[in-house]
Amino acid sequence: MSGSWLLKSVTGDNQPVHDCDEPRSAFLTTATDSPWRPWVHRLERVMPLVLLGLATFLSLLQGQPWERRWGTLALVGVALCWVLATDTFLPRRWRESTPVLVVAFAGLLTIASVLMARDLLFLIFLITCFFRAIVLDPMPLVLLGLTATSALINSLGSGGPLQALREWPVPYLAIVLIQTLAIGGGLEVSRQLVRQNEQRRKAVAALEAALEENAGLHRQLLAQAREAGVLDERQRLSQEIHDTLAQGFTGIITQLQAAEEAHGDPAERQRHLDAASALARENLQEARRAVHALGPEALDGGAGLPEALGGVVRRWSQRFGVPAEFTTTGTPGPMHPEIEATLLRITQEALGNVAEHAKAGRVGLTLSYMEDQLTLDVRDDGVGFDQDRLRRNGNGYRGFGLSGMRQRVQRLAGSLVVESEPGGGTAISATVPAIPFQESR
């Protein structure tokens, strides 16, 4: 019968909160993983036998007649067998069965009461029934067992419960009631404390699990952020290479092809060769700059964005022999380096596309400074292209040209609008936020 009286789990079901291999305990009021558990169980297993032996020893010392002693010893033998059968040798799986516990308690209470009625010293053994009552379940059974034990233990010395009710009913009932409520109330308080401790333990375990999960999610987010940063940097590098080296090599090839075709005009042939040589030197400078930093070379040396764009347009017009006009509207001012670098790269890419595809006779660029945004417009009167046909074919915008421009402005929360039709030229408008350089420090 020994085992934990922790009868219900904090989840509200009727299952014990103790381990399935541990019996209920009348003493164990701490958490289920208490280090004292094995010793408490041993004490409970031994206590009925010790109290029975002590009461028997004291009874034999009274010097009663042997006839009465033999009767007492016979009852002690019955009590010993009952304790061994319902406690020491009772299979563990039966110690959690309420019907078995009720039968064991009733038998123990009956035997102990007969012994006490025979010899008042066996009150010592009857006390065991208090501890056996509080392991019953549910609470009404506990109160019933405590009441029966208290009623007997306080009346058997004076003729039994009926005699006590006739002679001193009010004091007797008051004693039984107070004793029952005191033990039952203390038991319920202990159970509540155990439930609260179990709830705290589960809350701490849940918190630790949540913290561990959050740490895992944090590590995962960091890894994803690193991967996204690597991919973004690779994309940016590819765009930088396309806008500088790839466009430069394309221009060199174009100039060399033009030089090969100028067989009858040595001056024209030399002009194309000189342009190819200049492009090669610029590409070499871009390659060297890319090793150290990827800021546009045209913006180095403190040049403003309008001056840098004007220089790019002028050099492009000289190389390809296409008239190009650059204008600025609004009030120019220093912008965030990323803003200026993006507009410069878009200008280089747009002019590169014009030289390679448009077959234009004239190009116009306008840089507009507005209150909260900058707009770059690039227009040509070339052959244009059919945007709908490209989308229907699933090709989008070929290469890194227009798609690269769009990605650049979108990275800055800007927008890119492309208007073109076959034979109607092309217009590109890139809009980005106007972030002054001083505010970005």
Side-chain angles (χ1 to χ4, degrees), residues 72-102:
T72 300
L73 290 175
L75 289 174
V76 169
V78 173
L80 177 62
C81 293
W82 186 260
V83 170
L84 293 177
T86 59
D87 186 2
T88 305
F89 299 123
L90 184 69
R92 181 170 295 174
R93 64 180 181 276
W94 291 356
R95 294 175 189 166
E96 293 300 326
S97 172
T98 296
V100 172
L101 292 178
V102 171

Side-chain angles (χ1 to χ4, degrees), residues 190-238:
S190 298
R191 289 181 176 181
Q192 292 297 332
L193 290 175
V194 169
R195 292 189 184 100
Q196 292 176 4
N197 290 335
E198 185 68 13
Q199 287 176 338
R200 293 191 187 99
R201 185 189 66 80
K202 290 186 176 182
V204 170
L207 179 60
E208 291 176 350
L211 290 175
E212 180 62 26
E213 183 180 0
N214 287 340
L217 291 175
H218 181 66
R219 290 191 295 269
Q220 183 178 357
L221 289 176
L222 287 178
Q224 292 176 349
R226 284 194 295 268
E227 293 177 1
V230 170
L231 292 176
D232 185 69
E233 185 63 15
R234 286 177 179 174
Q235 186 178 51
R236 190 175 74 88
L237 287 174
S238 65

Side-chain angles (χ1 to χ4, degrees), residues 292-347:
H292 301 284
L294 289 175
E297 185 271 339
L299 291 172
D300 290 346
L305 181 60
E307 292 79 6
L309 295 185
V312 169
V313 173
R314 185 175 58 256
R315 290 191 295 272
W316 180 87
S317 179
Q318 292 172 354
R319 289 174 191 150
F320 294 95
V322 178
E325 180 181 357
F326 173 73
T327 58
T328 302
T329 64
T331 304
M335 292 290 144
H336 190 282
E338 188 68 19
I339 299 292
E340 295 186 344
T342 297
L343 293 179
L344 179 64
R345 293 306 188 201
I346 290 175
T347 299

Side-chain angles (χ1 to χ4, degrees), residues 1-52:
M1 287 189 297
S2 60
S4 176
W5 53 264
L6 310 181
L7 301 176
K8 296 180 181 178
S9 68
V10 294
T11 58
D13 56 17
N14 292 326
Q15 296 299 324
V17 298
H18 50 69
D19 299 334
C20 61
D21 293 334
E22 296 290 353
R24 302 180 191 177
S25 171
F27 294 109
L28 195 60
T29 59
T30 57
T32 57
D33 56 353
S34 170
W36 298 100
R37 173 180 291 278
W39 295 99
V40 170
H41 291 320
R42 293 188 183 99
L43 174 62
E44 289 186 328
R45 301 285 294 275
V46 173
M47 183 184 64
L49 301 177
V50 172
L51 295 181
L52 179 61

